[in-house]
Amino acid sequence: MTDAHVFHGEQIRAATVLPADRRPVELHTADGLRLVGELALPVDHPPVATLVTLHPLPTHGGFMDSHVLRKASYRLPALAGIAVLRFNTRGTTSPAGTSEGAFDDGMGERFDVAAAIEYAEFHEDPPLPGRWLLGWSFGTDLALRYGLDPAIEGAILLSPPLRYSTDADLDAWAASGKPVVAIVPELDDYLRPTEARERFARIPQAEVIGVDGAKHLWVGEPAVRRVLDEIVARVAPSAYPLPTTVPGGQ
């Protein structure tokens, strides 16, 4: 991918693409499928942390280019030194291509999550440290159900509907002690902050962040900036808060 030309001091906008080393990737699942994706890396130094992203529901338009995940890949390698792995779950299409297989209502997708975690864990050039899951909507259910892995530091959940996840899934995260951060829009279509705090109370270490005025799809640059700032505060805190203009040297 060719990065847009940006200038020092220029305002970061919705369409801003900052420099990164962007590599097409293939993930291979235990049940024999090939998934397409992209790994975005900092240009001039190894990553300090890694996001393994899980996109919204593909039957409702979710894919690896869903805008918050795409903007994370456009900004976070340059602004925070974070590697961003995005991929299409089985049967999902984006400009990068179509992953093999067919949507399986959150069941076969367990193999997709495992393949992404394995890819990040064993990537050597460069190593991908500090691996966190970043799920959005359907992707949060995949994270909660299948992402509790020794190679994962914790989970960040955007607009979690808790549609597929069970109390047993939440209890397993609770027992692990690993951090769980739920970023919940005030005006979400499925699960709003008050109910989210009640549901996530099963995980004592869970942090529920309600975002005033936000909706499930995080439309608008202020909503995106808030989400990315909350992510960076947990994953690469030395880079928090993110700048709103292009840093020098870009």
PDB file of all heavy atoms in Angstrom, residues 45-46 60 70 73 82 100-101 117 120 123 126 136 149 156 158 168 177 180 186 211 213 215 242 245 250:
ATOM      1  N   HIS A  45      11.835   1.253  13.577  1.00  0.00           N
ATOM      2  CA  HIS A  45      12.203   0.618  14.836  1.00  0.00           C
ATOM      3  C   HIS A  45      11.254  -0.547  15.085  1.00  0.00           C
ATOM      4  O   HIS A  45      10.147  -0.585  14.539  1.00  0.00           O
ATOM      5  CB  HIS A  45      12.151   1.613  16.000  1.00  0.00           C
ATOM      6  CG  HIS A  45      10.796   2.239  16.199  1.00  0.00           C
ATOM      7  ND1 HIS A  45       9.792   1.645  16.928  1.00  0.00           N
ATOM      8  CD2 HIS A  45      10.291   3.415  15.759  1.00  0.00           C
ATOM      9  CE1 HIS A  45       8.730   2.417  16.933  1.00  0.00           C
ATOM     10  NE2 HIS A  45       8.995   3.494  16.232  1.00  0.00           N
ATOM     11  N   PRO A  46      11.654  -1.506  15.913  1.00  0.00           N
ATOM     12  CA  PRO A  46      10.761  -2.629  16.208  1.00  0.00           C
ATOM     13  C   PRO A  46       9.521  -2.149  16.956  1.00  0.00           C
ATOM     14  O   PRO A  46       9.553  -1.131  17.657  1.00  0.00           O
ATOM     15  CB  PRO A  46      11.621  -3.539  17.091  1.00  0.00           C
ATOM     16  CG  PRO A  46      13.023  -3.106  16.872  1.00  0.00           C
ATOM     17  CD  PRO A  46      12.968  -1.648  16.569  1.00  0.00           C
ATOM     18  N   HIS A  60     -22.983  -8.225   8.396  1.00  0.00           N
ATOM     19  CA  HIS A  60     -23.494  -6.854   8.494  1.00  0.00           C
ATOM     20  C   HIS A  60     -22.431  -5.844   8.073  1.00  0.00           C
ATOM     21  O   HIS A  60     -22.401  -4.712   8.566  1.00  0.00           O
ATOM     22  CB  HIS A  60     -23.969  -6.566   9.918  1.00  0.00           C
ATOM     23  CG  HIS A  60     -25.250  -7.248  10.279  1.00  0.00           C
ATOM     24  ND1 HIS A  60     -25.342  -8.623  10.409  1.00  0.00           N
ATOM     25  CD2 HIS A  60     -26.494  -6.762  10.522  1.00  0.00           C
ATOM     26  CE1 HIS A  60     -26.587  -8.950  10.726  1.00  0.00           C
ATOM     27  NE2 HIS A  60     -27.301  -7.845  10.800  1.00  0.00           N
ATOM     28  N   ARG A  70      -9.015   0.011  10.481  1.00  0.00           N
ATOM     29  CA  ARG A  70      -8.198   0.563   9.397  1.00  0.00           C
ATOM     30  C   ARG A  70      -7.415   1.786   9.878  1.00  0.00           C
ATOM     31  O   ARG A  70      -6.219   1.931   9.614  1.00  0.00           O
ATOM     32  CB  ARG A  70      -9.094   0.931   8.215  1.00  0.00           C
ATOM     33  CG  ARG A  70      -8.319   1.404   6.984  1.00  0.00           C
ATOM     34  CD  ARG A  70      -9.255   1.733   5.838  1.00  0.00           C
ATOM     35  NE  ARG A  70     -10.012   2.956   6.078  1.00  0.00           N
ATOM     36  CZ  ARG A  70     -11.325   3.017   6.252  1.00  0.00           C
ATOM     37  NH1 ARG A  70     -12.043   1.900   6.238  1.00  0.00           N
ATOM     38  NH2 ARG A  70     -11.929   4.175   6.447  1.00  0.00           N
ATOM     39  N   SER A  73      -4.472   0.949  11.940  1.00  0.00           N
ATOM     40  CA  SER A  73      -3.321   0.539  11.135  1.00  0.00           C
ATOM     41  C   SER A  73      -2.680   1.721  10.427  1.00  0.00           C
ATOM     42  O   SER A  73      -1.478   1.715  10.160  1.00  0.00           O
ATOM     43  CB  SER A  73      -3.740  -0.521  10.108  1.00  0.00           C
ATOM     44  OG  SER A  73      -4.429   0.057   9.014  1.00  0.00           O
ATOM     45  N   ILE A  82       3.154   0.806  17.534  1.00  0.00           N
ATOM     46  CA  ILE A  82       2.352  -0.408  17.703  1.00  0.00           C
ATOM     47  C   ILE A  82       2.198  -1.122  16.357  1.00  0.00           C
ATOM     48  O   ILE A  82       1.846  -0.485  15.353  1.00  0.00           O
ATOM     49  CB  ILE A  82       0.965  -0.077  18.275  1.00  0.00           C
ATOM     50  CG1 ILE A  82       1.101   0.527  19.682  1.00  0.00           C
ATOM     51  CG2 ILE A  82       0.068  -1.296  18.302  1.00  0.00           C
ATOM     52  CD1 ILE A  82      -0.210   1.058  20.245  1.00  0.00           C
ATOM     53  N   GLU A 100     -10.710 -17.797   2.642  1.00  0.00           N
ATOM     54  CA  GLU A 100     -11.390 -19.031   2.288  1.00  0.00           C
ATOM     55  C   GLU A 100     -12.427 -19.412   3.339  1.00  0.00           C
ATOM     56  O   GLU A 100     -12.402 -18.932   4.471  1.00  0.00           O
ATOM     57  CB  GLU A 100     -10.371 -20.155   2.123  1.00  0.00           C
ATOM     58  CG  GLU A 100      -9.447 -19.956   0.935  1.00  0.00           C
ATOM     59  CD  GLU A 100      -8.388 -21.028   0.817  1.00  0.00           C
ATOM     60  OE1 GLU A 100      -8.229 -21.831   1.769  1.00  0.00           O
ATOM     61  OE2 GLU A 100      -7.708 -21.083  -0.223  1.00  0.00           O
ATOM     62  N   GLY A 101     -13.327 -20.313   2.954  1.00  0.00           N
ATOM     63  CA  GLY A 101     -14.344 -20.789   3.876  1.00  0.00           C
ATOM     64  C   GLY A 101     -15.593 -19.934   3.833  1.00  0.00           C
ATOM     65  O   GLY A 101     -15.797 -19.121   2.927  1.00  0.00           O
ATOM     66  N   ILE A 117      -3.444 -15.436  16.418  1.00  0.00           N
ATOM     67  CA  ILE A 117      -2.597 -15.398  17.611  1.00  0.00           C
ATOM     68  C   ILE A 117      -1.287 -16.129  17.352  1.00  0.00           C
ATOM     69  O   ILE A 117      -0.198 -15.647  17.717  1.00  0.00           O
ATOM     70  CB  ILE A 117      -3.344 -15.992  18.816  1.00  0.00           C
ATOM     71  CG1 ILE A 117      -4.530 -15.105  19.204  1.00  0.00           C
ATOM     72  CG2 ILE A 117      -2.392 -16.173  20.002  1.00  0.00           C
ATOM     73  CD1 ILE A 117      -5.433 -15.722  20.254  1.00  0.00           C
ATOM     74  N   ALA A 120       1.060 -14.034  15.203  1.00  0.00           N
ATOM     75  CA  ALA A 120       1.712 -12.961  15.959  1.00  0.00           C
ATOM     76  C   ALA A 120       2.756 -13.514  16.923  1.00  0.00           C
ATOM     77  O   ALA A 120       3.847 -12.943  17.078  1.00  0.00           O
ATOM     78  CB  ALA A 120       0.660 -12.149  16.714  1.00  0.00           C
ATOM     79  N   HIS A 123       5.930 -14.721  14.847  1.00  0.00           N
ATOM     80  CA  HIS A 123       6.522 -13.822  13.856  1.00  0.00           C
ATOM     81  C   HIS A 123       7.914 -13.407  14.327  1.00  0.00           C
ATOM     82  O   HIS A 123       8.093 -13.018  15.479  1.00  0.00           O
ATOM     83  CB  HIS A 123       5.630 -12.592  13.676  1.00  0.00           C
ATOM     84  CG  HIS A 123       5.934 -11.818  12.439  1.00  0.00           C
ATOM     85  ND1 HIS A 123       6.892 -10.828  12.392  1.00  0.00           N
ATOM     86  CD2 HIS A 123       5.395 -11.870  11.197  1.00  0.00           C
ATOM     87  CE1 HIS A 123       6.931 -10.307  11.178  1.00  0.00           C
ATOM     88  NE2 HIS A 123       6.040 -10.920  10.432  1.00  0.00           N
ATOM     89  N   PRO A 126       9.881  -8.380  12.282  1.00  0.00           N
ATOM     90  CA  PRO A 126      10.478  -8.428  13.617  1.00  0.00           C
ATOM     91  C   PRO A 126       9.584  -9.227  14.568  1.00  0.00           C
ATOM     92  O   PRO A 126       8.429  -9.527  14.239  1.00  0.00           O
ATOM     93  CB  PRO A 126      10.490  -6.949  14.025  1.00  0.00           C
ATOM     94  CG  PRO A 126       9.216  -6.425  13.421  1.00  0.00           C
ATOM     95  CD  PRO A 126       9.065  -7.150  12.098  1.00  0.00           C
ATOM     96  N   TRP A 136     -13.973  -5.707  17.889  1.00  0.00           N
ATOM     97  CA  TRP A 136     -15.029  -4.713  17.712  1.00  0.00           C
ATOM     98  C   TRP A 136     -16.325  -5.468  17.432  1.00  0.00           C
ATOM     99  O   TRP A 136     -16.393  -6.265  16.502  1.00  0.00           O
ATOM    100  CB  TRP A 136     -14.673  -3.764  16.570  1.00  0.00           C
ATOM    101  CG  TRP A 136     -15.660  -2.673  16.297  1.00  0.00           C
ATOM    102  CD1 TRP A 136     -16.788  -2.357  17.001  1.00  0.00           C
ATOM    103  CD2 TRP A 136     -15.596  -1.727  15.229  1.00  0.00           C
ATOM    104  NE1 TRP A 136     -17.438  -1.279  16.445  1.00  0.00           N
ATOM    105  CE2 TRP A 136     -16.715  -0.876  15.357  1.00  0.00           C
ATOM    106  CE3 TRP A 136     -14.697  -1.527  14.169  1.00  0.00           C
ATOM    107  CZ2 TRP A 136     -16.976   0.168  14.455  1.00  0.00           C
ATOM    108  CZ3 TRP A 136     -14.950  -0.490  13.276  1.00  0.00           C
ATOM    109  CH2 TRP A 136     -16.069   0.349  13.424  1.00  0.00           C
ATOM    110  N   ASP A 149      -5.421 -16.859  25.633  1.00  0.00           N
ATOM    111  CA  ASP A 149      -4.282 -17.669  25.204  1.00  0.00           C
ATOM    112  C   ASP A 149      -3.040 -17.174  25.943  1.00  0.00           C
ATOM    113  O   ASP A 149      -2.905 -15.977  26.205  1.00  0.00           O
ATOM    114  CB  ASP A 149      -4.107 -17.502  23.682  1.00  0.00           C
ATOM    115  CG  ASP A 149      -3.026 -18.389  23.117  1.00  0.00           C
ATOM    116  OD1 ASP A 149      -1.842 -18.018  23.245  1.00  0.00           O
ATOM    117  OD2 ASP A 149      -3.350 -19.438  22.532  1.00  0.00           O
ATOM    118  N   ILE A 156      -9.031  -5.737  24.503  1.00  0.00           N
ATOM    119  CA  ILE A 156      -9.725  -4.453  24.423  1.00  0.00           C
ATOM    120  C   ILE A 156     -10.946  -4.675  23.546  1.00  0.00           C
ATOM    121  O   ILE A 156     -10.834  -5.165  22.411  1.00  0.00           O
ATOM    122  CB  ILE A 156      -8.814  -3.368  23.852  1.00  0.00           C
ATOM    123  CG1 ILE A 156      -7.603  -3.169  24.779  1.00  0.00           C
ATOM    124  CG2 ILE A 156      -9.577  -2.054  23.685  1.00  0.00           C
ATOM    125  CD1 ILE A 156      -6.550  -2.237  24.222  1.00  0.00           C
ATOM    126  N   LEU A 158     -14.351  -3.135  21.785  1.00  0.00           N
ATOM    127  CA  LEU A 158     -15.092  -1.969  21.321  1.00  0.00           C
ATOM    128  C   LEU A 158     -16.537  -2.369  21.050  1.00  0.00           C
ATOM    129  O   LEU A 158     -16.795  -3.308  20.289  1.00  0.00           O
ATOM    130  CB  LEU A 158     -14.478  -1.413  20.029  1.00  0.00           C
ATOM    131  CG  LEU A 158     -12.980  -1.122  20.010  1.00  0.00           C
ATOM    132  CD1 LEU A 158     -12.582  -0.558  18.653  1.00  0.00           C
ATOM    133  CD2 LEU A 158     -12.603  -0.177  21.130  1.00  0.00           C
ATOM    134  N   ALA A 168     -19.608 -18.344  31.305  1.00  0.00           N
ATOM    135  CA  ALA A 168     -18.417 -19.181  31.451  1.00  0.00           C
ATOM    136  C   ALA A 168     -17.202 -18.537  30.781  1.00  0.00           C
ATOM    137  O   ALA A 168     -16.075 -18.629  31.298  1.00  0.00           O
ATOM    138  CB  ALA A 168     -18.669 -20.571  30.870  1.00  0.00           C
ATOM    139  N   GLY A 177      -7.003 -13.389  35.392  1.00  0.00           N
ATOM    140  CA  GLY A 177      -6.428 -12.153  35.892  1.00  0.00           C
ATOM    141  C   GLY A 177      -5.957 -11.197  34.817  1.00  0.00           C
ATOM    142  O   GLY A 177      -5.467 -10.101  35.123  1.00  0.00           O
ATOM    143  N   VAL A 180      -9.043  -6.783  30.906  1.00  0.00           N
ATOM    144  CA  VAL A 180     -10.122  -6.690  29.929  1.00  0.00           C
ATOM    145  C   VAL A 180     -10.634  -5.253  29.993  1.00  0.00           C
ATOM    146  O   VAL A 180     -11.025  -4.775  31.060  1.00  0.00           O
ATOM    147  CB  VAL A 180     -11.260  -7.673  30.241  1.00  0.00           C
ATOM    148  CG1 VAL A 180     -12.444  -7.458  29.284  1.00  0.00           C
ATOM    149  CG2 VAL A 180     -10.774  -9.112  30.168  1.00  0.00           C
ATOM    150  N   GLU A 186     -22.161   5.391  24.767  1.00  0.00           N
ATOM    151  CA  GLU A 186     -23.346   5.780  25.535  1.00  0.00           C
ATOM    152  C   GLU A 186     -24.626   5.388  24.810  1.00  0.00           C
ATOM    153  O   GLU A 186     -25.619   4.979  25.434  1.00  0.00           O
ATOM    154  CB  GLU A 186     -23.333   7.286  25.769  1.00  0.00           C
ATOM    155  CG  GLU A 186     -24.574   7.817  26.492  1.00  0.00           C
ATOM    156  CD  GLU A 186     -24.694   9.317  26.443  1.00  0.00           C
ATOM    157  OE1 GLU A 186     -24.033   9.958  25.608  1.00  0.00           O
ATOM    158  OE2 GLU A 186     -25.483   9.864  27.246  1.00  0.00           O
ATOM    159  N   VAL A 211     -18.453   6.039  26.865  1.00  0.00           N
ATOM    160  CA  VAL A 211     -18.065   7.193  26.053  1.00  0.00           C
ATOM    161  C   VAL A 211     -19.323   7.982  25.697  1.00  0.00           C
ATOM    162  O   VAL A 211     -20.165   7.524  24.909  1.00  0.00           O
ATOM    163  CB  VAL A 211     -17.311   6.754  24.785  1.00  0.00           C
ATOM    164  CG1 VAL A 211     -16.924   7.978  23.947  1.00  0.00           C
ATOM    165  CG2 VAL A 211     -16.066   5.955  25.162  1.00  0.00           C
ATOM    166  N   GLY A 213     -22.054  10.237  24.145  1.00  0.00           N
ATOM    167  CA  GLY A 213     -22.409  10.662  22.800  1.00  0.00           C
ATOM    168  C   GLY A 213     -22.036   9.708  21.689  1.00  0.00           C
ATOM    169  O   GLY A 213     -22.446   9.900  20.547  1.00  0.00           O
ATOM    170  N   LYS A 215     -21.767   6.172  19.421  1.00  0.00           N
ATOM    171  CA  LYS A 215     -22.665   5.115  18.958  1.00  0.00           C
ATOM    172  C   LYS A 215     -21.851   3.876  18.593  1.00  0.00           C
ATOM    173  O   LYS A 215     -20.620   3.909  18.552  1.00  0.00           O
ATOM    174  CB  LYS A 215     -23.484   5.608  17.764  1.00  0.00           C
ATOM    175  CG  LYS A 215     -24.386   6.795  18.107  1.00  0.00           C
ATOM    176  CD  LYS A 215     -25.235   7.219  16.919  1.00  0.00           C
ATOM    177  CE  LYS A 215     -26.151   8.392  17.285  1.00  0.00           C
ATOM    178  NZ  LYS A 215     -26.985   8.814  16.132  1.00  0.00           N
ATOM    179  N   LEU A 242      -2.208  10.480  22.101  1.00  0.00           N
ATOM    180  CA  LEU A 242      -1.743  10.579  20.726  1.00  0.00           C
ATOM    181  C   LEU A 242      -1.796  12.030  20.257  1.00  0.00           C
ATOM    182  O   LEU A 242      -2.709  12.780  20.610  1.00  0.00           O
ATOM    183  CB  LEU A 242      -2.626   9.727  19.817  1.00  0.00           C
ATOM    184  CG  LEU A 242      -2.501   8.211  19.976  1.00  0.00           C
ATOM    185  CD1 LEU A 242      -3.599   7.516  19.178  1.00  0.00           C
ATOM    186  CD2 LEU A 242      -1.133   7.713  19.569  1.00  0.00           C
ATOM    187  N   THR A 245      -1.721  16.190  15.365  1.00  0.00           N
ATOM    188  CA  THR A 245      -1.081  16.642  14.146  1.00  0.00           C
ATOM    189  C   THR A 245       0.075  15.697  13.822  1.00  0.00           C
ATOM    190  O   THR A 245       0.575  14.970  14.676  1.00  0.00           O
ATOM    191  CB  THR A 245      -0.537  18.077  14.289  1.00  0.00           C
ATOM    192  OG1 THR A 245       0.394  18.128  15.380  1.00  0.00           O
ATOM    193  CG2 THR A 245      -1.670  19.063  14.548  1.00  0.00           C
ATOM    194  N   GLN A 250       7.713  13.044   9.592  1.00  0.00           N
ATOM    195  CA  GLN A 250       6.814  12.252   8.747  1.00  0.00           C
ATOM    196  C   GLN A 250       6.840  12.789   7.323  1.00  0.00           C
ATOM    197  O   GLN A 250       7.035  13.956   7.095  1.00  0.00           O
ATOM    198  CB  GLN A 250       5.381  12.317   9.306  1.00  0.00           C
ATOM    199  CG  GLN A 250       5.285  11.879  10.732  1.00  0.00           C
ATOM    200  CD  GLN A 250       5.507  10.392  10.901  1.00  0.00           C
ATOM    201  OE1 GLN A 250       5.634   9.676   9.928  1.00  0.00           O
ATOM    202  NE2 GLN A 250       5.582   9.931  12.113  1.00  0.00           N
TER     203      GLN A 250
END
